[in-house]
């Protein structure tokens, strides 16, 4: 397994030193999220200011963008970094797409994301080979690519596309058309092993692909200090309250708790929600350990299940340096 890091929510002028430190410490990749910043802009800095550090978006909101804008950005970042960029896409939820981005919500989430990915690859194929652009689907029709707008071929055109998800629909889609699957931090080993991986394999079988070709990257809750437990309980209660994530709780027989959490969230009772996360739930969704034993516990828990992992904790140089050194050294 590769050990990756997550970029903290910092302004762009902080990205270079963090990326350089992440590379020096020994992380394999650095992922940037789309919350309060555009997730692609740090990638431009990482591309030109590091030498071997891979990087990607985890995630970029796909339905807020057209396939063409995604294709151009990924093409440029791959070219600038000599092939170190990974395009991670996520659909977000309807309220954010419609009310935060002002974009339409599709009739079929899986169907539209499938079209986006196929359309992106059609653009890349056109640029790399000179073939005429001719993609026609339900959501997108892309037939115009004049030479003036064609960036032309690059040395590293095979850009990995990862998609993120919690439920089986997007997991199957990853098996069908993606290079990787970003496992949401709200998961358990059992849910990953018994639900997500079989769904990915089923999708791969549809397209006669080997499911081992689809790489899994998991973000993991860890608890090494008392304050971590408070934070993790809070985050778990938030995720468990989300109706679209209820399948994870249902898999463990905790639907009643999920229902109660949803009602609390609807009433704005955020402070009361963490108390509903039991010790059993905490042990199911998070890895609790002292710093020295954490690498072995992570390796044992995820061996054979995922190809790369990162912690639900951003990498900030100067904070918990011993923790990070022990963790990276253990991998």
């Amino acid at each position: 397994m590769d050990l990756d890091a997550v970029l903290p929510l910092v302004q762009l002028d902080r990205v270079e030193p963090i990326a350089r430190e992440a590379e020096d410490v020994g992380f394999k990749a650095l992922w940037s999220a789309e919350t309060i910043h555009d997730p692609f802009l740090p990638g431009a800095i990482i591309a030109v200011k590091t030498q071997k550090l891979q990087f990607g978006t985890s995630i970029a909101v796909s339905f807020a963008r057209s396939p063409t804008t995604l294709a151009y950005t990924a093409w440029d970042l791959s070219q600038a970094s000599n092939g170190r960029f990974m395009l991670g896409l996520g659909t977000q939820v309807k309220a954010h797409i419609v009310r935060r981005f002002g974009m339409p919500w599709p009739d079929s989430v899986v169907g539209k994301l499938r079209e986006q990915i196929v359309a992106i690859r059609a653009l890349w194929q056109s640029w790399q080979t000179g073939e005429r652009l001719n993609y026609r689907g339900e959501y997108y029709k892309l037939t115009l690519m004049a030479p003036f707008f064609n960036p032309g071929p690059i040395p590293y055109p095979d850009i990995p596309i990862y998609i993120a998800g919690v439920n089986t629909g997007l997991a199957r889609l990853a098996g069908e058309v993606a290079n990787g699957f970003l496992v949401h931090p709200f998961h358990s080993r059992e849910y990953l092993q018994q639900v997500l991986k079989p769904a990915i394999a089923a999708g791969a079988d549809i397209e006669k692909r080997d499911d081992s070709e689809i790489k899994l990257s998991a973000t993991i809750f860890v608890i090494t200090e008392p304050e971590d437990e408070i934070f993790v309980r809070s985050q778990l209660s938030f995720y468990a309250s989300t109706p679209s994530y209820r399948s994870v709780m249902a898999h463990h027989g905790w639907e009643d708790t999920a229902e109660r959490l949803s009602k609390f969230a609807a009433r704005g009772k955020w402070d009361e929600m963490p108390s509903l996360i039991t010790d059993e739930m905490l042990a199911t969704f998070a890895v609790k350990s002292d710093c020295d034993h954490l690498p072995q516990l992570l390796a044992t828990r995820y061996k054979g299940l995922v190809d790369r992992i990162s912690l639900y904790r951003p990498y900030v140089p100067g904070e918990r340096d011993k923790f990070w050194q022990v963790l990276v050294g253990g991998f």
Side-chain angles (χ1 to χ4, degrees):
M1 284 186 296
D2 291 329
L3 179 64
D4 300 338
V6 175
L7 185 71
L9 302 179
V10 295
Q11 301 297 331
L12 286 176
D13 59 1
R14 294 273 318 279
V15 171
E16 179 182 348
I18 293 172
R20 288 184 181 275
E21 286 286 344
E23 184 171 59
D24 291 344
V25 166
F27 288 107
K28 186 70 173 182
L30 186 61
W31 296 89
S32 61
E34 180 154 24
T35 53
I36 61 173
H37 297 299
D38 185 295
F40 290 107
L41 294 181
I45 297 171
I46 297 168
V48 299
K49 296 298 183 180
T50 63
Q51 300 299 316
K52 58 184 180 180
L53 186 68
Q54 296 177 337
F55 61 100
T57 52
S58 178
I59 50 85
V61 180
S62 59
F63 292 168
R65 298 171 171 88
S66 78
T68 306
T69 58
L70 288 167
Y72 276 121
T73 303
W75 202 246
D76 287 340
L77 290 174
S78 182
Q79 186 278 328
S81 66
N82 293 321
R84 290 181 283 139
F85 176 66
M86 299 171 285
L87 177 60
L89 300 174
T91 60
Q92 252 294 352
V93 296
K94 182 177 180 179
H96 285 265
I97 297 302
V98 175
R99 294 165 53 199
R100 183 158 68 98
F101 290 102
M103 301 292 281
W105 185 250
D107 295 331
S108 170
V109 170
V110 172
K112 183 170 183 177
L113 185 58
R114 177 187 285 109
E115 279 201 16
Q116 280 193 316
I117 292 171
V118 176
I120 288 168
R121 292 210 176 103
L123 286 154
W124 291 344
Q125 178 75 3
S126 174
W127 298 340
Q128 190 67 18
T129 66
E131 294 178 10
R132 179 185 175 189
L133 177 64
N134 186 25
Y135 177 80
R136 300 171 187 268
E138 179 182 352
Y139 295 97
Y140 303 102
K141 291 180 175 61
L142 306 176
T143 59
L144 176 63
M145 184 52 59
F148 186 74
F149 300 104
N150 187 332
I154 60 174
Y156 301 93
D158 298 322
I159 303 165
I161 299 178
Y162 283 69
I163 61 174
V166 175
N167 298 307
T168 55
L170 290 174
R172 280 195 298 271
L173 181 62
E176 291 180 49
V177 300
N179 304 100
F181 186 72
L182 297 169
V183 181
H184 195 281
F186 186 52
H187 73 270
S188 65
R189 175 183 169 84
E190 294 77 16
Y191 188 77
L192 176 55
Q193 186 174 42
Q194 298 167 16
V195 178
L196 293 178
K197 284 185 72 74
I200 292 170
D205 188 60
I206 292 172
E207 296 296 326
K208 302 298 187 289
R209 302 176 69 196
D210 184 344
D211 62 337
S212 65
E213 297 176 7
I214 297 92
K215 304 303 180 183
L216 271 66
S217 175
T219 303
I220 302 164
F221 286 112
V222 298
I223 300 169
T224 57
E225 298 181 12
E227 58 266 29
D228 295 337
E229 184 168 330
I230 296 171
F231 172 74
V232 171
R233 283 187 191 274
S234 176
Q235 289 299 116
L236 289 174
S237 69
F238 168 71
Y239 285 131
S241 74
T242 305
S244 57
Y245 297 170
R246 192 154 296 163
S247 58
V248 183
M249 294 290 278
H251 185 72
H252 293 279
W254 295 326
E255 300 101 319
D256 290 346
T257 300
E259 288 279 359
R260 292 179 64 194
L261 286 166
S262 292
K263 291 177 181 178
F264 278 19
R267 297 169 187 163
K269 296 183 176 181
W270 306 106
D271 293 341
E272 300 179 35
M273 290 166 57
S275 64
L276 297 184
I277 302 299
T278 65
D279 290 344
E280 182 183 7
M281 294 175 186
L282 198 69
T284 299
F285 296 124
V287 177
K288 188 174 183 178
S289 170
D290 60 70
C291 182
D292 292 334
H293 294 93
L294 182 61
Q296 182 58 45
L297 286 175
L298 288 171
T300 300
R301 187 161 177 157
Y302 288 94
K303 183 179 180 180
L305 287 178
V306 301
D307 301 281
R308 54 199 321 148
I309 64 173
S310 55
L311 303 190
Y312 194 87
R313 176 186 295 175
Y315 173 63
V316 182
E319 293 183 10
R320 299 188 177 187
D321 283 346
K322 180 182 178 182
F323 166 84
W324 292 115
Q325 289 168 2
V326 170
L327 182 63
V328 175
F331 277 79

